[in-house]
Amino acid sequence: LKFLNNVISLFWKHIYHGQTIIGADRVRKLVQSGHEIIYIPCHRSHMDYILLYYVIFHEGLPLPQIASGDNLNFFPVGPLIRRCGSYFIRRKMKGDNFYITLFGEYLSILFEKGMATEFFIEGGRSRTGRTLPPKTGMVAMTVKSQLRGIERPIAFIPTYLGYEHVSEVRSYMQELSGKAKKKESALQLLGIFKRMRYYGRGYVTFGKPVIVPRFLSKEVP
């Protein structure tokens, strides 16, 4: 993580003019009061992983275990981000009760150990730049873990990630005009160097938390 921080710091300063962060103190207070932190960011760009992890690292907040789609499990990205805290999940779980049960148990173990977690509530990256409807699978698994008796109160942290310029704008236009989505690969990763230009500023806002026990007591007595 320290090595990657040095690499990303150089990379980030080259293409972005810093970042504006709002609400980090709110998360810090929740950590200090013993809450289980779950970051649920929006997802418009591959830069989202880098920006959020970079900010969390520099703010001294708990580094999360990140749910990553199995489309990112290719060399060299897969082994690298796994060592940084990612775990890979299928993009579609519906109908596979064994997989859903097993994955729910895995999440419960992370919560029991007090590890922060992160997943994109939209289920995948937006192909248009617009926010997608939320998918509730991992939210439901998290609530079930709380109801089963996880001692630490779980806090969902809605997280906004924004940019003055999004690096994927060209692919948005191509896909909106009917071009098929390109599968992630090492060759596609090298294409990032073609997009190495100035993108302005990054923005991270940690929103008002949803404390699961408090919410359930109020809404589902």
Side-chain angles (χ1 to χ4, degrees):
L1 286 171
K2 288 179 179 178
F3 167 74
L4 280 178
N5 175 60
N6 292 332
V7 173
I8 290 170
S9 294
L10 292 172
F11 168 76
W12 199 255
K13 290 173 183 176
H14 181 74
I15 64 174
Y16 286 103
H17 183 59
Q19 52 278 329
T20 298
I21 305 163
I22 299 172
D25 286 340
R26 180 184 283 163
V27 182
R28 195 171 289 111
K29 287 177 182 177
L30 287 171
V31 173
Q32 292 168 350
S33 59
H35 287 75
E36 174 68 28
I37 302 299
I38 301 182
Y39 305 96
I40 45 173
C42 58
H43 195 15
R44 295 187 183 89
S45 171
H46 283 304
M47 292 295 182
D48 294 343
Y49 301 99
I50 301 173
L51 174 60
L52 184 54
Y53 218 74
Y54 182 80
V55 165
I56 289 171
F57 182 86
H58 283 271
E59 287 291 324
L61 299 172
L63 292 169
Q65 301 290 305
I66 305 173
S68 300
D70 54 8
N71 58 310
L72 293 177
N73 192 12
F74 61 88
F75 184 83
V77 173
L80 182 63
I81 64 175
R82 189 188 292 276
R83 284 168 174 77
C84 291
S86 277
Y87 54 90
F88 296 102
I89 62 173
R90 293 183 193 170
R91 303 302 292 271
K92 295 181 180 179
M93 303 183 192
K94 190 173 181 179
D96 191 337
N97 292 330
F98 176 75
Y99 186 83
I100 292 170
T101 302
L102 190 65
F103 185 68
E105 292 297 321
Y106 179 73
L107 279 181
S108 292
I109 290 171
L110 292 181
F111 301 150
E112 287 169 2
K113 291 186 174 183
M115 294 182 175
T117 312
E118 175 193 331
F119 59 83
F120 293 104
I121 198 167
E122 295 161 278
R125 185 165 58 90
S126 171
R127 317 309 304 179
T128 63
R130 296 176 180 175
T131 303
L132 302 173
K135 297 198 176 168
T136 57
M138 290 188 68
V139 174
M141 291 178 191
T142 302
V143 173
K144 286 178 182 177
S145 294
Q146 184 80 85
L147 293 174
R148 282 172 51 183
I150 301 296
E151 292 183 6
R152 292 158 60 92
I154 293 174
F156 287 112
I157 311 295
T159 307
Y160 169 77
L161 304 175
Y163 312 86
E164 287 184 22
H165 302 282
V166 180
S167 61
E168 283 85 356
V169 165
R170 182 176 295 178
S171 68
Y172 289 166
M173 298 301 294
Q174 290 173 343
E175 289 181 37
L176 284 169
S177 64
K179 190 173 181 180
K181 173 185 177 292
K182 289 184 179 179
K183 186 178 179 181
E184 286 80 3
S185 65
L187 189 61
Q188 189 186 23
L189 181 65
L190 292 174
I192 195 172
F193 295 105
K194 295 180 182 178
R195 301 198 296 266
M196 287 281 282
R197 58 186 181 84
Y198 185 64
Y199 288 108
R201 194 168 187 82
Y203 297 86
V204 178
T205 300
F206 298 103
K208 183 179 179 180
V210 178
I211 313 297
V212 174
R214 188 185 303 170
F215 176 85
L216 292 177
S217 296
K218 181 180 178 181
E219 301 294 334
V220 193

